[in-house]
């Protein structure tokens, strides 16, 4: 009997991706005196202890938490700081607790997927080949035995995590779990104990103040004037360190924002809410101040309006972006573009590489007067597990190297500033069908079209609402010309 083909899954409709909901900028506090640094360290350490204690109490409350317990915690914090400091602490505590709960859900889903895959493969005969989309049996009895042991471990872990989730228990580390684990591996982290201790203490400080509209300069706790003068409302136990009235301490250093400075100044002059965070970069020995606020909802451009001028289809890969411009009818125009990046090294370098590639892409989009960029709505969360792809370690590394989440967040924020829309499309079959229908026809004697560039054409056509498949040539007797393909 002939093997039956698997039916194609339903393709989701393209949609216009929402822009960023907030803005964050950073400025350096230059010219701090030793007295200023000492005050910042004392305030950060004092509020950090209160934040740690409040987070511990929130974790103990678990699912029994309600508005009364929240108000009780805030009153206790107010006696040791101020009402606004207490409000910032409790707000960030709830954000941390909620983030941990969402992480538990994702962990449970990952464990359930791994358990299901192992059970499926253990039930098959050893050596049985898999089919497309379904893995086969394990290669040897030894591998079958090892996976049976791993299944027991995963099932135990799943029951433990599910019990913690149902009971409302979360595991949170203020200062990051990764930095905590480095304490036992200082040589591998290339750090001394003093250096680690300094970073650990700085990470656990709390110098964050939420904004409040209607108050002077949009924030009463950490206030920044239009000329960059910074003042802090000291907690009650540290009020004796104030150098101004109302328990305020004015820093000698000033701050300026090179990016979005005019927008920030317009907000504080209108007394609109701006949240601030002061932190220390231990490695560089520099103090920074971050300002953030919610931006007003941008008008959503209809999908039809974005399609009117054509789009640029972008295929995301582990080391580059493949892009091709398409007109409104889905025809590729000009030559494809490739924007390379190198995602090795520290996080700052990776982010800079990604930002540079997207900047070049947006510059090209503005030169061509295109109103939208089409990208795939990728999510490889369930595809990075070794249980799904078995021994295909290089393939798993390739998937893990594609910066799907970071690229989408960065692209949305950058496109919002340039007025370019982002159309997200279903990634199903774009690489396969793009190579099948567009790679060979777009290859010439002087230019060879890559599989990724052909996938960019498929992505762009799906965003425009056209089928990826090229038009089939009519029979010769129905062609207007003598021979050949009319398309």
């Amino acid at each position: 009997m002939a093997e039956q083909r698997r039916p194609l899954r339903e393709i989701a409709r393209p949609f216009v991706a929402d822009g960023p909901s907030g803005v964050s900028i950073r400025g350096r506090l230059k010219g701090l005196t030793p007295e200023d640094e000492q005050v910042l360290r004392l305030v950060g350490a004092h509020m950090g202890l209160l934040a740690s204690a409040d987070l511990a109490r929130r974790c103990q409350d678990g699912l029994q938490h309600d508005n009364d317990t929240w108000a009780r915690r805030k009153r206790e914090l107010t006696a040791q700081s101020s009402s606004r400091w207490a409000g910032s602490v409790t707000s960030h505590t709830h954000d941390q607790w909620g983030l941990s709960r969402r992480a538990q859900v994702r962990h449970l889903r990952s464990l359930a997927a791994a358990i299901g895959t192992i059970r499926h493969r253990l039930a098959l005969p050893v050596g049985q080949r898999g089919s497309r989309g379904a893995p086969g049996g394990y290669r040897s009895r030894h591998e079958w035995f090892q996976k049976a042991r791993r299944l027991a471990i995963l099932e135990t872990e799943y029951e433990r995590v599910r019990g913690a989730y149902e009971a409302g228990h979360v595991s949170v580390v203020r200062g990051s779990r990764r930095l905590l684990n480095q304490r036992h591996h200082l040589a591998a982290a290339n750090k001394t104990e003093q250096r680690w201790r300094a970073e650990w203490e700085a990470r656990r400080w709390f110098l964050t103040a939420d904004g409040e509209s209607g108050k002077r300069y949009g924030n009463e706790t950490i206030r920044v004037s239009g000329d960059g003068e910074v003042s802090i409302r000291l907690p009650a136990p540290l009020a004796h360190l104030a150098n101004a009235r109302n328990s305020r301490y004015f820093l000698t250093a000033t701050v300026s924002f090179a990016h979005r400075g005019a927008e920030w100044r317009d907000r504080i002059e209108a007394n609109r809410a701006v949240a601030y965070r002061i932190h220390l970069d231990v490695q560089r020995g520099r103090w920074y101040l971050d300002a953030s606020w919610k931006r007003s909802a941008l008008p959503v451009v209809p999908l039809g309006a974005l399609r009117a001028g054509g789009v640029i289809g972008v295929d995301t890969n582990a080391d580059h972006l493949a892009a091709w411009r398409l007109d409104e009818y889905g025809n590729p125009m000009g030559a494809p573009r490739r924007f390379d990046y190198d995602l090795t090294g520290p996080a700052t370098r990776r982010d800079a590489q990604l930002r540079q590639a997207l900047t070049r892409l947006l510059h090209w989009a503005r030169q061509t007067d295109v109103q939208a960029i089409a990208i795939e709505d990728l999510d490889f969360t369930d595809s990075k597990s070794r249980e799904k792809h078995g021994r295909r370690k290089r393939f798993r590394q390739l998937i893990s190297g594609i910066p799907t989440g970071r690229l989408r967040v960065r692209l949305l924020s950058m496109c919002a500033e340039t007025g370019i829309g982002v159309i997200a499309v279903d990634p199903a079959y774009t690489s396969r069908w793009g190579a099948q229908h567009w790679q060979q026809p777009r290859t010439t004697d002087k230019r060879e079209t890559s599989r990724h560039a052909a996938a960019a054409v498929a992505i762009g056509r799906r965003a425009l609402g056209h089928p990826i498949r090229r038009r089939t040539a009519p029979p010769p007797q129905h062609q207007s010309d003598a021979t050949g393909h009319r398309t």
Side-chain angles (χ1 to χ4, degrees):
M1 295 179 61
E3 183 179 356
Q4 294 183 354
R5 282 189 173 185
R6 294 181 62 217
L8 300 179
R9 73 172 180 85
E10 184 179 356
I11 307 298
R13 294 183 178 181
F15 61 92
V16 180
D18 295 330
S21 59
V23 174
S24 179
I25 57 178
R26 174 172 296 180
R28 182 183 172 188
L29 292 171
K30 298 182 179 180
L32 286 173
T33 63
E35 292 78 10
D36 293 341
E37 294 193 13
Q38 181 65 17
V39 170
L40 290 177
R41 292 174 181 273
L42 291 175
V43 175
H46 175 73
M47 295 306 305
L49 288 175
L50 297 182
S52 299
D54 185 67
L55 180 60
R57 288 197 55 184
R58 177 64 186 90
C59 293
Q60 291 175 0
D61 292 340
L63 301 179
Q64 306 301 322
H65 174 267
D66 54 19
N67 292 335
D68 294 336
T69 57
W70 188 342
R72 190 182 309 113
R73 290 185 5 245
K74 185 175 179 180
R75 285 196 299 269
E76 295 176 359
L77 290 173
T78 301
Q80 304 178 65
S81 55
S82 69
S83 60
R84 291 185 174 86
W85 276 118
S88 298
V89 169
T90 55
S91 174
H92 283 74
T93 293
H94 284 273
D95 291 341
Q96 286 184 294
W97 192 85
L99 179 62
S100 299
R101 291 283 289 180
R102 293 191 295 272
Q104 280 182 330
V105 173
R106 291 193 296 269
H107 189 33
L108 285 173
R109 291 176 180 173
S110 176
L111 290 173
I115 290 173
T117 302
I118 295 179
R119 286 176 176 173
H120 169 75
R121 300 190 68 180
L122 288 177
L124 298 176
V126 175
Q128 178 174 325
R129 298 180 61 88
S131 59
R132 180 180 298 177
Y138 291 109
R139 298 185 179 183
S140 63
R141 292 294 303 176
H142 175 72
E143 185 177 7
W144 188 96
F145 174 74
Q146 296 296 335
K147 290 299 181 179
R149 295 181 61 184
R150 177 168 172 78
L151 176 61
I153 295 174
L154 293 178
E155 289 176 340
T156 304
E157 176 68 9
Y158 181 84
E159 293 299 328
R160 184 191 66 82
V161 177
R162 188 179 66 173
Y165 179 79
E166 294 176 352
H169 298 160
V170 298
S171 177
V172 187
V173 178
R174 289 198 68 249
S176 87
R177 193 184 306 272
R178 181 178 182 181
L179 183 59
L180 176 63
N181 293 333
Q182 287 182 359
R183 176 62 182 85
H184 307 288
H185 308 281
L186 295 177
N190 196 21
K191 295 180 181 179
T192 62
E193 183 177 352
Q194 293 76 12
R195 164 75 178 280
W196 177 89
R197 179 66 59 182
E199 291 187 9
W200 176 251
E201 292 177 352
R203 287 283 190 92
R204 291 172 63 85
W205 289 342
F206 188 91
L207 284 168
T208 303
D210 296 336
E212 187 176 357
S213 295
K215 298 299 180 181
R216 189 180 181 187
Y217 298 132
N219 198 309
E220 281 289 312
T221 306
I222 300 178
R223 182 185 296 167
V224 185
S225 63
D227 55 2
E229 186 181 47
V230 182
S231 65
I232 302 175
R233 176 69 180 271
L234 299 178
L238 301 177
H240 61 280
L241 300 175
N243 57 8
R245 295 184 304 173
N246 299 325
S247 302
R248 301 201 71 86
Y249 185 91
F250 282 81
L251 300 178
T252 306
T254 58
V255 66
S256 61
F257 299 105
H259 178 59
R260 293 181 178 272
E263 185 178 351
W264 164 79
R265 192 170 290 105
D266 292 341
R267 287 191 66 89
I268 63 172
E269 289 179 354
N271 295 330
R272 300 175 63 187
V274 179
Y276 294 106
R277 172 176 173 261
I278 300 175
H279 57 98
L280 170 65
D281 188 336
V282 177
Q283 182 177 359
R284 298 182 178 181
R286 298 176 178 177
W287 290 85
Y288 293 93
L289 185 141
D290 295 346
S292 57
W293 61 88
K294 291 183 179 180
R295 64 184 308 165
S296 57
L298 299 176
V300 179
V301 181
L303 182 59
L306 294 178
R307 289 171 170 174
V311 301
I312 291 180
V314 178
D315 181 54
T316 306
N317 301 282
D319 59 349
H320 74 281
L321 299 175
W324 209 323
R325 181 189 175 193
L326 285 74
D327 62 14
E328 58 182 313
Y329 305 105
N331 301 314
M333 302 176 61
R337 295 292 185 93
R338 177 187 172 110
F339 305 98
D340 295 293
Y341 46 77
D342 182 13
L343 299 181
T344 59
T348 53
R349 182 181 184 277
R350 297 196 301 268
D351 185 70
Q353 287 279 318
L354 199 60
R355 187 169 59 249
Q356 174 65 13
L358 293 178
T359 300
R360 294 167 54 200
L361 172 64
L362 293 180
H363 284 173
W364 179 45
R366 284 187 291 184
Q367 292 172 3
T368 56
D369 294 330
V370 172
Q371 300 298 319
I373 292 176
I375 62 172
E376 294 175 303
D377 188 18
L378 292 171
D379 183 14
F380 290 135
T381 304
D382 60 343
S383 300
K384 300 178 183 178
S385 171
R386 61 179 177 177
E387 307 304 338
K388 182 172 183 178
H389 299 289
R391 301 186 181 186
R392 302 171 63 186
K393 186 175 181 180
R394 294 188 61 183
F395 182 71
R396 297 201 313 268
Q397 292 176 346
L398 176 65
I399 293 178
S400 300
I402 298 178
T404 55
R406 287 175 295 169
L407 184 140
R408 179 165 178 174
V409 172
R410 177 66 67 180
L411 179 63
L412 288 175
S413 61
M414 297 177 69
C415 285
E417 304 306 317
T418 57
I420 298 176
V422 177
I423 302 176
V425 303
D426 194 317
Y429 316 113
T430 53
S431 297
R432 186 190 310 171
W433 291 351
Q436 178 182 354
H437 299 291
W438 292 98
Q439 186 174 7
Q440 190 275 333
R442 302 303 299 178
T443 299
T444 63
D445 296 337
K446 298 182 179 179
R447 183 188 68 206
E448 181 178 357
T449 301
S450 67
R451 183 183 180 92
H452 305 298
V457 177
I459 294 170
R461 288 182 63 87
R462 181 167 288 175
L464 290 168
H466 301 305
I468 296 178
R469 181 176 61 88
R470 302 173 74 246
R471 187 177 64 175
T472 304
Q477 60 271 24
H478 294 161
Q479 293 182 357
S480 59
D481 41 282
T483 58
H485 200 303
R486 287 196 301 178
T487 58

